[in-house]
């Protein structure tokens, strides 16, 4: 499972001209799911991301977490995080999990965030979405469960 996590001042996701989810200060999480991912990876990823301390304290150091800044979470499915551009000019997405596996894990990840105290705003799996964000810093991190201890 992979995620791009951006610290934001605000973010929103719009589907068919309607705002489906929006947050103020917090994390915009673009979530990619691989074919071998399980609920174990979803739990691990949610715990890691929601525990990150990347908000600045009074000394200007990244030392505060979501709880300290009363942050919010917006999660958007992003199968293209498993895209490969090794050959040619057109990306291959064969490394991404198919919908039959990815949809339940996406929903599980949303529930894991809620269980950890951050009920997320979210997009809609498979929808054509427009995502807007005001990046803060900017601070953007790549988190892959294959890299977590």
């Amino acid at each position: 499972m992979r995620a791009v996590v951006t610290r934001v001042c605000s973010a929103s996701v719009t589907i068919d001209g309607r705002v489906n989810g929006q947050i103020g200060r917090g994390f915009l999480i673009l979530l990619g799911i691989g074919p071998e991912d399980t609920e174990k990876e979803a739990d691990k990823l949610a715990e890691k991301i929601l525990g990150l301390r990347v908000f600045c304290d009074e000394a200007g150091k990244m030392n505060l977490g979501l709880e300290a800044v009363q942050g919010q979470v917006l999660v958007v499915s992003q199968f293209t995080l498993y895209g490969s551009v090794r050959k040619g000019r057109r990306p291959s997405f064969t490394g991404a999990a198919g919908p039959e596996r990815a949809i339940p894990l996406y929903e599980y990840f949303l529930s894991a965030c809620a269980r950890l105290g951050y009920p997320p705003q979210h997009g809609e799996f498979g929808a054509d979405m427009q995502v807007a964000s005001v990046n803060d810093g900017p601070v953007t991190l790549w988190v892959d469960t294959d890299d977590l201890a």
Side-chain angles (χ1 to χ4, degrees):
M1 202 167 269
R2 296 176 179 165
V4 172
V5 181
T6 303
R7 185 179 78 183
V8 297
C9 297
S10 64
S12 65
V13 60
T14 302
I15 303 169
D16 295 328
R18 179 183 56 85
V19 174
N20 198 71
Q22 69 182 40
I23 62 168
R25 190 175 193 192
F27 290 149
L28 168 58
I29 302 170
L30 304 178
L31 180 68
I33 299 168
E36 304 301 319
D37 289 331
T38 66
E39 291 177 354
K40 179 180 176 183
E41 281 82 19
D43 285 331
K44 186 188 297 189
L45 189 64
E47 289 174 21
K48 176 57 89 173
I49 292 171
L50 299 177
L52 291 172
R53 297 182 346 187
V54 296
F55 296 92
C56 294
D57 62 17
E58 59 280 343
K61 294 192 183 249
M62 283 197 266
N63 200 29
L64 302 177
L66 279 171
E67 183 176 13
V69 300
Q70 299 176 343
Q72 300 173 297
V73 175
L74 173 62
V75 180
V76 177
S77 61
Q78 187 80 41
F79 76 93
T80 60
L81 293 179
Y82 277 89
S84 172
V85 294
R86 286 188 175 160
K87 294 181 182 177
R89 295 177 185 241
R90 185 168 177 253
S92 169
F93 301 108
T94 59
E100 66 286 341
R101 179 174 207 78
I103 292 170
L105 280 174
Y106 171 72
E107 292 171 355
Y108 184 87
F109 182 84
L110 296 176
S111 66
C113 290
R115 280 193 307 277
L116 291 168
Y118 299 95
Q121 294 287 305
H122 54 85
E124 180 182 313
F125 190 94
D128 182 18
M129 298 175 275
Q130 289 70 52
V131 180
S133 66
V134 178
N135 297 354
D136 182 14
V139 174
T140 302
L141 301 167
W142 168 271
V143 185
D144 190 320
T145 54
D146 287 345
D147 298 333
L148 299 178

